[in-house]
Amino acid sequence: MASTVTIHYCTQCRWMLRSAWMAQELLSTFDGDISELTLKPGTGGVFEVWVDESRVWSRKEMDGFPDIVTLKQRVRDVIAPDRSLGHADKPG
């Protein structure tokens, strides 16, 4: 069953381009595993990524933005935990 992803971002902070880039990266990586990806504008410094009903990232709680590898790993852990991300899973 394909999952839905929501990226809730702050328009006041002008984080739309960052959110759109992350959305493109997730859609490319998880082709067929994501049935819908929504960019949800908000205010107040919000940047959260949700997969189905699970929040996988919160800028406020995690003190910043994820790098794309970390975000892909967190999304993968919800939608396809047994899937390899190739080089992204290898220790740095």
Side-chain angles (χ1 to χ4, degrees):
M1 183 172 111
S3 295
T4 61
V5 175
T6 302
I7 300 176
H8 191 189
Y9 68 95
C10 180
T11 57
Q12 294 169 317
C13 301
R14 305 215 184 276
W15 291 336
M16 182 182 68
L17 289 177
R18 177 189 307 247
S19 301
W21 173 73
M22 288 185 174
Q24 174 265 314
E25 286 288 320
L26 294 175
L27 288 169
S28 295
T29 300
F30 299 103
D31 184 33
D33 293 319
I34 296 175
S35 62
E36 177 181 327
L37 193 146
T38 303
L39 296 178
K40 182 178 177 183
T43 58
V46 67
F47 183 86
E48 294 182 343
V49 180
W50 292 79
V51 179
D52 299 322
E53 301 298 318
S54 299
R55 185 174 61 194
V56 297
W57 194 267
S58 167
R59 186 193 67 81
K60 288 183 180 179
E61 289 182 14
M62 297 165 178
D63 199 28
F65 291 96
D67 62 66
I68 197 62
V69 171
T70 300
L71 183 59
K72 287 179 181 183
Q73 289 169 338
R74 287 176 178 251
V75 169
R76 183 270 319 271
D77 291 348
V78 175
I79 67 174
D82 296 329
R83 181 178 183 173
S84 171
L85 292 176
H87 68 279
D89 280 334
K90 294 180 181 162

